[in-house]
Amino acid sequence: MEQKKTLLLSLSSLDEANEFVQEMLQNYKCPKSDSIRAQLFVEETIVYWLKEAKQNETFELSIKKRFKTITLTLNYRSEPKNPLTASELSEDQELEFSRIGQDILIGLSSVTYSYEKGNNISYTLKQKPLNPALTTAIAFVSAILCGLIFLAAAPALGKMFGTMILTPISSTFFGFLNAIVIPVLFFSAIGSIFNMDNLAQMKKIFRMLLTWTITIILVTSAVSLLVAQIFLLSEASTQTQNVSGDLWQQIGTMIFGIIPTNIIQPFLDGNTLQIMFLAVVSGVVMLTLNGRFPSITKIITESNLIFSTILDAVCALMPLVVFISILNMMVSGEGIALLGAFRLIMLILGSYLIINLILLASVAIIEKISPLAYLKTAAPFLLVAMSTASSSAAFASHTATALSKQKIRDSVVYFSIPVGVLFNKQDAIPLLILTSPFVGQIYGINFTIAEMIPVVVLCMILSVAVPPSPGMGAFIFTIVYNLLGIPLEGLALAVTIAIFMDYPATASNVMITNIGMLHTEHWLKKREESTKITV
């Protein structure tokens, strides 16, 4: 189903275009926040194209729906004019660059540009889904109740039901999930990179934010490993030789062999680092070519959309799979392990608390701001992030607070928030590191700290690849579980915990971005002051 509208390329068309978008998205029952961002997308694109447009030129606005994915596209027949690319500026103009690349949907990979029979810029969004935490909670509780009924009334029938029906279904699902992990990782990484082409204008700010991001990744990993060592790891490993192998050797091979000898082999071997290397190289090359090969851009864009849609479908089925897997765990006699999940949740929340206290300490030491004063200022956008489990939903509130109350310069704000949405997902690290040995213990597999350290290295890298959407990072567990030799059936419990942890983790990740902006502003002011003194 596709609706099209041809409009005059002028400011007078803004109201008509916004009315068309708003009406269509209301019919598709999209969230109001998505509708507002879609209208912003249309307005910014029209204003950008209008700068060099001839009189009485037109553009086409179309909205198309496939399953639950909606694509909003603008087409303008002229010479290539990419609204996602900021103009090149000199070093002293660097902080006054055009914000078009940031204002259009905060730089997320849901916005793509191609040139084929004119300029085509698209924004993909989705119908409002059911709350994943609510549906998962219902599935989780229902599975436990059904399992208790089986154990009380017909335990033998329950075991047979689990062996003959539940186990094959869950194994098939997790096998399929394992199959789509690699392409999702590859295409989402490329999509994130070639839509971030304004990094060239923000070299100084990017270097500061990168330093902050790497520092927090290291701190988060250290805290997670310490908590795991105290509460979850053992002195001796109980892995079988077939499963364990040499984890250090695996990680070493991945790191030192990061450059593949051919393009196909990394996908066959499931070598995550080589695949990420290929994705980075491909994304950088696409940025350099800047739309010269629109057919390749379109293939990448469509592939990213295809696998994102598949992943959406997988996540939509997750409550059903959680029900099947937890019920199977109950009828097979392993239900007692569920009681320990509350201990795991407390360990994860405790790790988040320690990390957040370190963040607040940095604010007190560097910015000379008390933690209570900072939390009072940041409360509006942190509450939005925690209640929605979406850093994108907190964009407007976060931007307004940073500009008006925290007095951070707009160039830092409009660059840091989209970059933070893409890369500041460090709280996925404790979730991965703590959940893996816990689930391993359910299957009688214990790990030592020597075996977990290389896994921590992998988790640090994988945290960057977690998609910035509620509940979408669960597929990352598959890579870690394959490395550790944990049965994929254990993903059900991990996914259940991950969905609920998404809420506090998102708020913490947004805090990391915000404090990074505060520190960047602080360092920029110090540099400016030192420059004035030198002059």
Side-chain angles (χ1 to χ4, degrees):
M1 186 192 324
E2 184 174 11
Q3 300 289 334
K4 295 183 179 181
K5 197 175 188 70
T6 301
L7 299 169
L8 188 68
L9 187 57
S10 69
L11 292 177
S12 61
S13 300
L14 289 177
D15 290 339
E16 188 176 356
N18 280 336
E19 184 179 346
F20 173 71
V21 171
Q22 186 177 14
E23 180 182 350
M24 293 301 300
L25 295 186
Q26 281 180 348
N27 293 338
Y28 292 143
K29 299 180 180 179
C30 284
K32 187 176 180 181
S33 58
D34 279 352
S35 179
I36 292 172
R37 284 196 290 269
Q39 292 174 57
L40 173 64
F41 160 74
V42 172
E43 288 180 4
E44 293 287 353
T45 303
I46 293 173
V47 170
Y48 182 86
W49 283 340
L50 190 59
K51 291 177 182 178
E52 300 178 12
K54 299 177 182 178
Q55 192 171 8
N56 296 326
E57 285 190 309
T58 62
F59 70 96
E60 183 181 81
L61 175 61
S62 64
I63 298 180
K64 178 172 57 178
K65 180 182 177 184
R66 299 176 183 171
F67 302 104
K68 292 188 177 183
T69 299
I70 302 163
T71 304
L72 174 63
T73 303
L74 284 84
N75 175 267
Y76 171 44
R77 294 179 180 271
S78 74
E79 296 298 318
K81 295 177 183 177
N82 182 2
L84 298 179
T85 305
S87 57
E88 294 292 337
L89 299 173
S90 60
E91 186 78 12
D92 57 347
Q93 294 175 307
E94 187 174 308
L95 299 180
E96 300 176 2
F97 68 97
S98 169
R99 294 200 298 262
I100 192 71
Q102 290 77 28
D103 287 341
I104 296 180
L105 298 171
I106 63 172
L108 295 179
S109 58
S110 53
V111 182
T112 55
Y113 170 83
S114 64
Y115 187 83
E116 184 179 0
K117 296 180 181 179
N119 298 274
N120 296 280
I121 182 167
S122 299
Y123 168 42
T124 56
L125 59 159
K126 298 173 177 63
Q127 287 182 290
K128 186 176 181 179
L130 294 174
N131 188 318
L134 177 61
T135 54
T136 304
I138 293 172
F140 188 80
V141 173
S142 301
I144 292 177
L145 292 177
C146 291
L148 291 174
I149 292 172
F150 266 114
L151 291 175
L157 178 62
K159 284 189 176 182
M160 185 175 67
F161 180 64
T163 303
M164 298 181 63
I165 297 177
L166 299 180
T167 299
I169 292 176
S170 62
S171 298
T172 300
F173 176 84
F174 290 120
F176 177 70
L177 179 63
N178 188 40
I180 68 170
V181 163
I182 297 303
V184 167
L185 195 65
F186 179 72
F187 288 115
S188 64
I190 293 181
S192 298
I193 293 169
F194 77 72
N195 281 292
M196 292 290 292
D197 51 354
N198 45 31
L199 293 182
Q201 288 82 29
M202 296 295 294
K203 293 189 293 287
K204 289 180 182 177
I205 297 176
F206 178 68
R207 283 197 295 268
M208 294 176 183
L209 290 172
L210 180 62
T211 302
W212 171 252
T213 298
I214 293 175
T215 300
I216 298 302
I217 286 177
L218 293 173
V219 169
T220 303
S221 301
V223 170
S224 305
L225 188 60
L226 178 62
V227 172
Q229 170 64 14
I230 295 173
F231 296 101
L232 294 172
L233 301 182
S234 64
E235 296 298 325
S237 172
T238 57
Q239 297 185 92
T240 63
Q241 283 190 335
N242 291 333
V243 175
S244 67
D246 187 345
L247 293 180
W248 273 111
Q249 185 177 358
Q250 292 179 52
I251 291 292
T253 301
M254 293 174 72
I255 293 175
F256 293 109
I258 192 171
I259 302 177
T261 54
N262 65 68
I263 296 177
I264 305 299
Q265 199 61 40
F267 295 91
L268 298 177
D269 296 340
N271 190 316
T272 308
L273 289 185
Q274 288 187 349
I275 291 168
M276 290 292 286
F277 175 82
L278 291 174
V280 169
V281 171
S282 301
V284 171
V285 169
M286 291 178 70
L287 284 182
T288 305
L289 296 176
N290 197 21
R292 288 181 58 188
F293 299 97
S295 58
I296 297 177
T297 302
K298 187 174 182 180
I299 290 172
I300 296 294
T301 301
E302 290 295 322
S303 298
N304 192 15
L305 180 59
I306 288 170
F307 285 102
S308 296
T309 304
I310 293 174
L311 189 58
D312 284 343
V314 170
C315 290
L317 292 173
M318 197 60 72
L320 176 61
V321 176
V322 166
F323 175 82
I324 292 172
S325 300
I326 299 301
L327 178 58
N328 191 25
M329 187 179 293
M330 291 291 296
V331 298
S332 64
E334 297 174 349
I336 191 65
L338 296 176
L339 298 177
F342 296 103
R343 174 170 170 263
L344 173 62
I345 290 172
M346 296 308 297
L347 291 178
I348 296 173
L349 291 176
S351 300
Y352 290 167
L353 178 61
I354 295 172
I355 294 164
N356 290 337
L357 289 175
I358 294 173
L359 292 173
L360 293 174
S362 75
V363 173
I365 295 170
I366 298 175
E367 308 298 333
K368 310 300 181 186
I369 300 174
S370 73
L372 289 178
Y374 169 78
L375 289 174
K376 184 178 180 180
T377 302
F381 61 83
L382 291 180
L383 289 174
V384 172
M386 179 172 286
S387 61
T388 61
S390 171
S391 50
S392 301
F395 173 66
S397 178
H398 193 178
T399 301
T401 301
L403 291 173
S404 61
K405 294 184 178 181
Q406 296 177 326
K407 305 300 180 184
I408 303 173
R409 65 191 70 190
D410 56 357
S411 55
V412 174
V413 172
Y414 285 102
F415 180 76
S416 302
I417 293 179
V419 171
V421 170
L422 289 169
F423 297 110
N424 280 341
K425 291 160 287 189
Q426 290 90 334
D427 276 12
I429 295 174
L431 185 64
L432 288 165
I433 292 175
L434 297 177
T435 304
S436 298
F438 175 82
V439 175
Q441 288 176 359
I442 295 176
Y443 292 94
I445 304 173
N446 293 322
F447 302 101
T448 65
I449 190 170
E451 292 168 333
M452 286 301 298
I453 289 177
V455 178
V456 170
V457 176
L458 181 61
C459 290
M460 291 165 63
I461 299 168
L462 290 178
S463 66
V464 180
V466 177
S469 303
M472 294 290 283
F475 76 95
I476 295 292
F477 278 106
T478 307
I479 297 172
V480 179
Y481 279 30
N482 283 333
L483 179 62
L484 288 171
I486 300 173
L488 291 182
E489 288 77 9
L491 284 173
L493 182 59
V495 167
T496 301
I497 294 172
I499 288 175
F500 288 105
M501 291 297 102
D502 225 352
Y503 293 86
T506 301
S508 184
N509 291 334
V510 171
M511 183 190 290
I512 290 171
T513 299
N514 183 255
I515 293 177
M517 288 194 298
L518 283 173
H519 293 337
T520 300
E521 177 69 20
H522 176 85
W523 294 326
L524 285 173
K525 285 182 179 178
K526 287 189 66 175
R527 285 192 176 189
E528 290 167 359
E529 290 172 1
S530 63
T531 302
K532 288 180 182 179
I533 294 173
T534 304
V535 174

